[in-house]
Amino acid sequence: MKLKSDKDEVTLKDIAEVVGKSVAAVSRALNDYDDISPDTRAYIKQVAQEMGYKPNLLAQRLQKRATDSLGLILPVLSPRNADPFFSELLGGIANEATTQGFDLLVSTCTQGDEENQAYSRLIEGRRVDGIIVAHPRWHDTRISLLTEQQFPFIIVGAVLPELKHLCVTDDVTEGATQIVNHLIAQGHTKIALINTTLDLISSSNFLAGFQKAMLNAGLTINQNWLESCNTTPKDGYQTAQLLFSRVETPTAIVTADDVLALGVIAAAHDQGLEVGHDLAVTGYGDILLAEHSHPPLTTIERPTYTLGQHACRLLINRLRNQSLGPETVLFKPSLVIRQSSDLALWL
Amino acid sequence: MKLKSDKDEVTLKDIAEVVGKSVAAVSRALNDYDDISPDTRAYIKQVAQEMGYKPNLLAQRLQKRATDSLGLILPVLSPRNADPFFSELLGGIANEATTQGFDLLVSTCTQGDEENQAYSRLIEGRRVDGIIVAHPRWHDTRISLLTEQQFPFIIVGAVLPELKHLCVTDDVTEGATQIVNHLIAQGHTKIALINTTLDLISSSNFLAGFQKAMLNAGLTINQNWLESCNTTPKDGYQTAQLLFSRVETPTAIVTADDVLALGVIAAAHDQGLEVGHDLAVTGYGDILLAEHSHPPLTTIERPTYTLGQHACRLLINRLRNQSLGPETVLFKPSLVIRQSSDLALWL
DNA sequence: ATTATAAACTTAAAGGTTTGAGGAGTCAAA
DNA sequence: TTTGACTCCTCAAACCTTTAAGTTTATAAT
């Protein structure tokens, strides 16, 4: 026999009745106000503990007009699409959010109208206090919307040219340069690029890094060898086939994404090319499979999980302390050389 | 110039003042109660619209003592681990949740103590109305906890033996049987199995299907060829190496997961084996990369996205309508035959 | 003329917490 | 004896919405 049914939650009022004090006193005691005597405070805390009191978050949130939640909207190219970047980013964000006592609200949308609706839903419903925007684009309507509404947000995956926002990213330009320099050091001169879709700011960064390294080495960039596509194996496969159909073909293909690169490798195999020997292929991101593809993929290690953690932390800091100005965190990329681009490693 | 600053939200009270009615009348009008005259109702709705009224979700939720949120906790083996199954499942869940007006709250945890903490956090904080549990295990403490607390939940990825819970899954046993039958039809008799970790209920199901097909064909199961590991490429790689080191080696390796299978393929390559020719390898799940691995991977197509959708829908139905009893949804798997197991497809 | 009925509202409480303002009591200094 | 200060509380409003119960006014029935 229980005093309270399992379903009835203990409230401040219940505690107040037991200890014979006002609800306010109980609240203040539990929140460590110093205008409650130490004895009473200890007693109240003990009773609260014994009664199994858990504050009602909804009431607290209504009171302080904050949701203690962050929003993340995942872009969905197709139902079957599952970009490891987002899962890993999500991991970092979710972990940090929990640490900071925040909830993470995730929703999905396809690009286009649905995307703006998804953002409006979060903002207008005041479902979250801040939003994390991944992979910003040129003329990004999400960012316009958030800026217009003066809604707190942080960008992951590129630094906006205006420099007036919170941004966390790895240095994609630098990463691209490192990759290309590595290929040049391997003796390659005929280097192709398969970039991610050009609306992404990061794709421009990647291109910039690519160009910089090529020009620096005095190499010309063949416009027939510049392509871009979505980050799926299939797209990588098809775009590689396109390159193979050119009259002149490259000896190395630089890609801006690992998943895409795995598609390129598959295409090369089907073309009868031995990757790492006849053709060098590189990726970006160092997903788990990069190490265990055939051959293992040369790529740039991107601290995706850490990116998520930092983005989350920075955004929460911003929410807690209005005074902070724009801030940018840039992670240095590191090159991971594997057989797909290195003859010396090839047996 | 605006009447209200951007930051001040319009409340029922504001509308009430403008239309000269009580707050209750406004609330009732907006909620289509029929004890408000049609004229007034229309007028109030129009004013609300013009003033840009958006109901305060926190207040609504406090009022009706429900969060309109679902919880999903992602297991994290390592920061770098990103299981496509979960991303895809997440997609289906998130999509359906939004459709139904629910929010999806995601958090992460490593297995063990942290996991129970994560679930307690959701339950005790009443952060969500229901929880989706993926990949149930034997003696699953998550399920004990939820059952004890009488908290609504649904299980994805297996049907519990007790049959008293909501469950949505694909028929893993059937899938395993199909795979093995296919290999047997290809002439294989020396078939090894690399299962997922044995604490998962689905791994038992997979094993059951495997055994059934083997026994049915009169084949003996070699205990030296039964292994299990985590679903990462590295684990698959290492476990395959283990199999290759046996005195007698199989001609086919069945695995219970695509990602794991890709690791097996890499190991086979490094061993000098031509997958699809010298060795058949099969996976489970039909992730995007399965079609573009080298060689393309024979696998079972799992409707992961749909699994998520259905789980979400069923759980919400349960929350809305207490009367429903236990329910189980089982999806039939379908075999996708590719070069990794079929000589006829091999050139 | 009285009573019942219905329409169109309003009032007030409830949901649980936080917090500024204020009050009662004690003690000490002037 | 007043004044002030201090300690330890309580009151009541506020956050915003929903809803059970009640009120007013008009209309119809008896």
Side-chain angles (χ1 to χ4, degrees):
Chain A
M1 195 180 305
K2 310 207 173 146
L3 295 177
K4 284 237 156 201
S5 119
D6 278 338
K7 282 291 166 195
D8 282 346
E9 302 292 352
V10 180
T11 68
L12 288 184
K13 197 175 162 194
D14 298 326
I15 301 174
E17 276 164 16
V18 171
V19 301
K21 298 270 148 96
S22 71
V23 168
V26 175
S27 170
R28 297 175 104 90
L30 293 177
N31 288 299
D32 284 321
Y33 277 55
D34 56 7
D35 60 358
I36 303 292
S37 79
D39 287 356
T40 320
R41 208 188 312 170
Y43 176 50
I44 289 178
K45 282 188 177 180
Q46 191 203 327
V47 171
Q49 162 86 23
E50 281 168 3
M51 294 177 71
Y53 170 73
K54 305 282 172 193
N56 182 316
L57 287 178
L58 290 174
Q60 285 184 323
R61 289 171 176 181
L62 173 61
Q63 202 333 106
K64 72 171 170 217
R65 251 143 315 172
T67 60
D68 285 351
S69 304
L70 261 30
L72 176 67
I73 296 179
L74 302 177
V76 174
L77 288 176
S78 82
R80 296 216 45 89
N81 182 56
D83 192 329
F85 173 78
F86 281 103
S87 336
E88 208 174 321
L89 186 71
L90 176 62
I93 295 171
N95 189 282
E96 182 67 19
T98 303
T99 304
Q100 306 264 355
F102 270 64
D103 285 341
L104 177 65
L105 214 139
V106 175
S107 58
T108 57
C109 68
T110 55
Q111 210 167 314
D113 283 355
E114 211 187 284
E115 188 174 48
N116 288 327
Q117 277 172 31
Y119 278 82
S120 295
R121 205 178 94 97
L122 289 191
I123 299 171
E124 294 180 355
R126 297 177 218 86
R127 295 173 132 86
V128 296
D129 298 337
I131 289 185
I132 295 160
V133 177
H135 285 341
R137 302 184 287 262
W138 296 106
H139 314 294
D140 200 318
T141 54
R142 302 171 296 173
I143 294 173
S144 320
L145 182 66
L146 290 163
T147 309
E148 267 169 33
Q149 307 264 347
Q150 299 182 42
F151 202 86
F153 69 100
I154 190 167
I155 293 163
V156 183
V159 176
L160 290 216
E162 306 103 85
L163 287 175
K164 63 180 182 185
H165 302 109
L166 289 177
C167 295
V168 175
T169 186
D170 50 326
D171 190 336
V172 174
T173 308
E174 167 67 16
T177 302
Q178 284 186 21
I179 285 267
V180 176
N181 283 341
H182 159 69
L183 289 172
I184 292 170
Q186 291 283 316
H188 290 280
T189 56
K190 299 160 73 175
I191 304 175
L193 165 63
I194 303 183
N195 210 335
T196 50
T197 48
L198 300 177
D199 53 342
L200 293 173
I201 292 179
S202 59
S203 77
S204 300
N205 295 334
F206 196 93
L207 178 61
F210 178 86
Q211 288 173 327
K212 186 176 139 202
M214 292 291 276
L215 295 181
N216 210 39
L219 297 176
T220 54
I221 294 172
N222 186 333
Q223 296 298 321
N224 288 322
W225 293 344
L226 294 185
E227 295 293 340
S228 70
C229 67
N230 283 323
T231 59
T232 67
K234 191 189 269 314
D235 283 273
Y237 186 92
Q238 291 170 343
T239 311
Q241 283 186 322
L242 202 67
L243 285 179
F244 296 146
S245 71
R246 301 273 188 255
V247 276
E248 199 184 4
T249 55
T251 62
I253 300 180
V254 170
T255 78
D257 182 86
D258 276 358
V259 175
L260 193 165
L262 294 177
V264 173
I265 289 181
H269 278 302
D270 286 359
Q271 191 72 14
L273 297 170
E274 196 98 60
V275 173
H277 192 263
D278 308 328
L279 176 74
V281 175
T282 63
Y284 194 102
D286 196 22
I287 63 174
L288 278 188
L289 270 166
E291 191 183 344
H292 294 283
S293 71
H294 177 69
L297 184 66
T298 292
T299 188
I300 293 287
E301 189 192 330
R302 168 162 51 189
T304 312
Y305 187 89
T306 311
L307 247 38
Q309 276 189 316
H310 271 80
C312 190
R313 196 175 305 161
L314 237 66
L315 181 53
I316 291 175
N317 278 349
R318 164 63 49 93
L319 292 174
R320 291 195 171 136
N321 178 0
Q322 300 292 349
S323 68
L324 280 84
E327 196 168 341
T328 292
V329 179
L330 200 64
F331 285 85
K332 286 294 157 208
S334 69
L335 183 63
V336 181
I337 299 173
R338 299 205 182 93
Q339 282 93 316
S340 77
S341 72
D342 192 331
L343 266 178
L345 297 173
W346 228 82
L347 305 181
Chain B
M1 196 179 306
K2 309 208 173 143
L3 294 177
K4 283 236 157 204
S5 118
D6 278 336
K7 281 292 166 193
D8 282 346
E9 301 293 351
V10 180
T11 68
L12 289 183
K13 198 175 161 195
D14 297 327
I15 301 175
E17 278 165 15
V18 171
V19 300
K21 297 270 149 98
S22 71
V23 169
V26 176
S27 172
R28 296 179 100 88
L30 294 176
N31 288 300
D32 283 321
Y33 276 58
D34 57 7
D35 62 355
I36 303 291
S37 80
D39 287 354
T40 319
R41 209 187 312 171
Y43 175 50
I44 288 178
K45 281 188 177 181
Q46 191 204 327
V47 172
Q49 163 86 23
E50 281 168 4
M51 294 177 72
Y53 171 73
K54 305 280 170 193
N56 182 316
L57 287 178
L58 290 174
Q60 284 183 324
R61 289 171 176 180
L62 172 61
Q63 215 309 124
K64 72 172 169 214
R65 252 143 315 172
T67 60
D68 287 349
S69 303
L70 261 31
L72 175 68
I73 296 179
L74 302 176
V76 174
L77 289 176
S78 80
R80 296 216 46 89
N81 182 56
D83 192 330
F85 173 78
F86 281 102
S87 336
E88 209 175 319
L89 186 72
L90 177 62
I93 295 170
N95 189 282
E96 182 66 19
T98 302
T99 305
Q100 306 263 356
F102 270 64
D103 285 341
L104 177 65
L105 213 139
V106 175
S107 58
T108 56
C109 67
T110 55
Q111 209 167 315
D113 284 354
E114 212 187 283
E115 189 174 48
N116 287 329
Q117 278 171 31
Y119 278 83
S120 296
R121 204 178 94 97
L122 288 191
I123 299 169
E124 294 180 355
R126 296 176 218 86
R127 295 174 132 87
V128 296
D129 298 337
I131 290 184
I132 296 159
V133 177
H135 285 341
R137 301 185 287 262
W138 296 106
H139 313 295
D140 199 318
T141 54
R142 302 171 296 174
I143 293 172
S144 321
L145 182 66
L146 289 163
T147 308
E148 267 170 33
Q149 308 263 346
Q150 300 181 43
F151 201 86
F153 68 102
I154 190 167
I155 294 163
V156 182
V159 176
L160 290 216
E162 305 103 84
L163 286 175
K164 64 181 181 184
H165 301 109
L166 289 177
C167 295
V168 175
T169 185
D170 49 326
D171 190 336
V172 175
T173 308
E174 167 66 16
T177 303
Q178 284 187 20
I179 284 267
V180 176
N181 284 341
H182 159 68
L183 289 172
I184 292 170
Q186 290 285 315
H188 290 279
T189 56
K190 298 161 73 174
I191 305 175
L193 166 62
I194 303 182
N195 210 334
T196 49
T197 49
L198 299 177
D199 52 343
L200 293 174
I201 291 178
S202 58
S203 78
S204 300
N205 295 334
F206 196 93
L207 179 61
F210 178 86
Q211 289 172 328
K212 185 177 141 203
M214 293 291 277
L215 296 179
N216 211 37
L219 296 176
T220 52
I221 294 172
N222 186 333
Q223 295 298 321
N224 289 321
W225 293 344
L226 293 184
E227 297 293 338
S228 70
C229 66
N230 283 322
T231 59
T232 67
K234 192 190 270 312
D235 282 273
Y237 186 92
Q238 291 170 344
T239 311
Q241 283 186 321
L242 202 67
L243 285 178
F244 296 146
S245 70
R246 302 272 188 257
V247 275
E248 198 183 4
T249 55
T251 62
I253 300 180
V254 170
T255 77
D257 182 86
D258 277 357
V259 176
L260 194 164
L262 294 177
V264 173
I265 288 180
H269 277 304
D270 286 0
Q271 192 72 12
L273 296 169
E274 197 98 60
V275 172
H277 193 265
D278 309 328
L279 177 74
V281 175
T282 63
Y284 195 101
D286 196 22
I287 63 175
L288 278 189
L289 269 166
E291 192 183 343
H292 293 284
S293 72
H294 177 68
L297 183 67
T298 292
T299 187
I300 294 286
E301 189 191 330
R302 169 163 50 189
T304 313
Y305 187 90
T306 312
L307 249 39
Q309 275 189 318
H310 272 79
C312 190
R313 196 174 306 161
L314 238 66
L315 181 54
I316 291 176
N317 278 350
R318 164 64 47 94
L319 292 175
R320 291 194 172 137
N321 178 1
Q322 300 292 350
S323 67
L324 281 84
E327 195 167 340
T328 292
V329 179
L330 200 63
F331 284 87
K332 287 294 157 209
S334 69
L335 183 63
V336 182
I337 299 173
R338 300 206 182 92
Q339 283 93 316
S340 76
S341 72
D342 192 330
L343 266 178
L345 296 173
W346 227 82
L347 305 182

